[in-house]
Amino acid sequence: MVEGTRDAAAMSTLPKRATRGLRMSKLLEDEDSADEDFWGQDAFAEESDDNQYESESEKEDVIDSDFNDEESSSDDDEVHVAKERRRPTLKAPERKSAPKPSGTA
């Protein structure tokens, strides 16, 4: 919130200028006119004889045509999945603790 009040204070301390925002307004107007020039091209204009266009008939999509069909319950079609054998997990060999050196020196 401190930053928001700092921005508001900075805005109120800016000097009044008659040209403030004119460059941005000019850029926006230029962008609008360029947009109108682009979309106003003859290529995007409606053609008078365009009303007679008819689309070709499409074939019905048959990819999922058997989706609602009942499945057969014969045992021949069933797939049995064999269980995989599990290998015993290998453990790291235990290290024997080294004998403590005796201090006979």
Side-chain angles (χ1 to χ4, degrees):
M1 286 286 191
V2 173
E3 204 170 299
T5 57
R6 187 182 317 151
D7 289 340
M11 290 296 287
S12 64
T13 59
L14 289 175
K16 302 269 185 201
R17 291 190 330 225
T19 60
R20 181 176 290 147
L22 290 181
R23 291 181 184 151
M24 183 59 117
S25 298
K26 176 72 171 133
L27 288 173
L28 290 174
E29 288 174 12
D30 291 347
E31 184 68 27
D32 286 341
S33 65
D35 195 41
E36 288 175 16
D37 290 343
F38 177 78
W39 291 107
Q41 295 179 28
D42 292 337
F44 296 113
E46 290 288 327
E47 295 182 11
S48 61
D49 62 341
D50 199 25
N51 295 334
Q52 297 174 356
Y53 175 77
E54 294 181 17
S55 63
E56 298 175 7
S57 61
E58 296 181 11
K59 295 181 180 179
E60 185 179 337
D61 190 14
V62 293
I63 292 174
D64 291 331
S65 63
D66 62 343
F67 186 74
N68 291 329
D69 293 346
E70 293 288 327
E71 292 186 15
S72 63
S73 61
S74 65
D75 293 334
D76 297 338
D77 293 339
E78 291 185 20
V79 176
H80 296 284
V81 178
K83 292 184 179 180
E84 293 183 15
R85 299 172 91 192
R86 292 190 177 195
R87 294 183 181 176
T89 57
L90 300 176
K91 295 182 181 179
E94 295 181 19
R95 296 187 180 184
K96 295 181 182 178
S97 58
K100 295 182 180 180
S102 55
T104 58

